[in-house]
Amino acid sequence: EIVLTQSPATLSLSPGERATLSCGASQSVSSSYLAWYQQKPGLAPRLLIYDASSRATGIPDRFSGSGSGTDFTLTISRLEPEDFAVYYCQQYGSSPGTFGQGTKLEIK
Amino acid sequence: EVQLVESGGGLVQPGGSLRLSCAASGFTFSSYWMHWVRQAPGKGLVWVSRINSDGSSTSYADSVKGRFTISRDNAKNTLYLQMNSLRAEDTAVYYCARDPSQNYYDSSGYSDYWGQGTLVTVSS
């Protein structure tokens, strides 16, 4: 199975700053089948990005995804207070689909 | 509005059984693949199982294969997870989640809508 490693584990930034979150795969993710989710405490995950760079319905355009092969990035161009949460990547190009361990984005 | 509401969680002893339900509304349930994903306390997300639109195709994570069974009742718009031979390491919040695929033969693999989750605790 493909192992996803997210970095950093914790990212401390201020509102208005740019956030760059990384997701590295142990093997190439076929067809860039990679998703990003946001999860706030006590709530279910929320789909942000699928197919590496396609924004899900209703997601603001400050969220963008990029990458291919084994290296993927989620960028939040200008942080809003509601963006501070845990972010997970998921690959679904190979079965079983696997998730990264998460990056906690916290207020500095 | 798409809604997924899980129920059936609770405290169970090791070796016991539990059946989770997920009531779906706001979309044509019978057209979509569905998943179960779990999250142990303070940990990350782990895919558990998936089922196709008519229930004829299922798959499982190795960690639950032979112990868990996913099923659905399209007449009742409900997804199920029967969990047998439960272990302490099965303790988690269990989420049902919709796969955006309406392709009978293949799921997309990711989830566009999630329920709020139900907590399963396996302990003596």
Side-chain angles (χ1 to χ4, degrees):
Chain A
E1 90 181 23
I2 294 179
V3 176
L4 299 181
T5 301
Q6 293 186 239
S7 61
T10 303
L11 184 58
S12 300
L13 294 171
S14 301
E17 291 192 292
R18 180 185 185 92
T20 302
L21 288 67
S22 297
C23 177
S26 59
Q27 308 167 40
S28 183
V29 176
S30 66
S31 304
S32 295
Y33 285 155
L34 189 113
W36 289 93
Y37 301 88
Q38 176 193 69
Q39 188 178 33
K40 296 180 179 179
L43 297 181
R46 173 193 181 198
L47 177 67
L48 300 174
I49 301 287
Y50 63 96
D51 294 349
S53 61
S54 297
R55 263 189 305 276
T57 303
I59 301 303
D61 60 8
R62 65 179 181 273
F63 291 91
S64 62
S66 63
S68 63
T70 60
D71 295 299
F72 297 87
T73 301
L74 174 70
T75 301
I76 310 172
S77 60
R78 188 177 172 84
L79 285 166
E80 297 287 341
E82 62 267 28
D83 297 337
F84 292 91
V86 178
Y87 291 83
Y88 293 96
C89 58
Q90 179 204 14
Q91 70 80 22
Y92 47 96
S94 300
S95 184
T98 50
F99 292 87
Q101 84 283 9
T103 289
K104 182 180 181 180
L105 178 56
E106 65 176 24
I107 300 176
K108 187 173 182 179
Chain B
E1 179 194 4
V2 172
Q3 285 199 321
L4 299 168
V5 179
E6 300 93 337
S7 60
L11 175 63
V12 61
Q13 292 188 336
S17 298
L18 214 53
R19 188 176 84 154
L20 306 183
S21 300
C22 171
S25 61
F27 65 103
T28 306
F29 178 70
S30 59
S31 296
Y32 289 84
W33 289 71
M34 296 293 295
H35 300 270
W36 286 100
V37 177
R38 69 184 182 184
Q39 186 171 35
K43 302 296 185 183
L45 301 165
V46 177
W47 174 79
V48 173
S49 182
R50 69 177 180 184
I51 188 168
N52 73 339
S53 58
D54 69 359
S56 61
S57 175
T58 60
S59 58
Y60 299 91
D62 286 346
S63 59
V64 307
K65 202 171 294 182
R67 301 188 298 124
F68 289 13
T69 303
I70 189 172
S71 63
R72 64 193 296 161
D73 184 337
N74 286 343
K76 294 183 178 180
N77 288 341
T78 302
L79 175 73
Y80 301 102
L81 186 67
Q82 176 67 44
M83 304 186 294
N84 298 330
S85 303
L86 283 161
R87 306 166 180 166
E89 54 266 34
D90 295 319
T91 294
V93 173
Y94 284 74
Y95 295 102
C96 74
R98 191 184 82 166
D99 188 298
S101 174
Q102 298 185 64
N103 182 322
Y104 179 81
Y105 297 101
D106 201 12
S107 69
S108 296
Y110 64 96
S111 297
D112 58 353
Y113 290 94
W114 297 62
Q116 86 290 348
T118 187
L119 176 62
V120 172
T121 303
V122 184
S123 175
S124 55

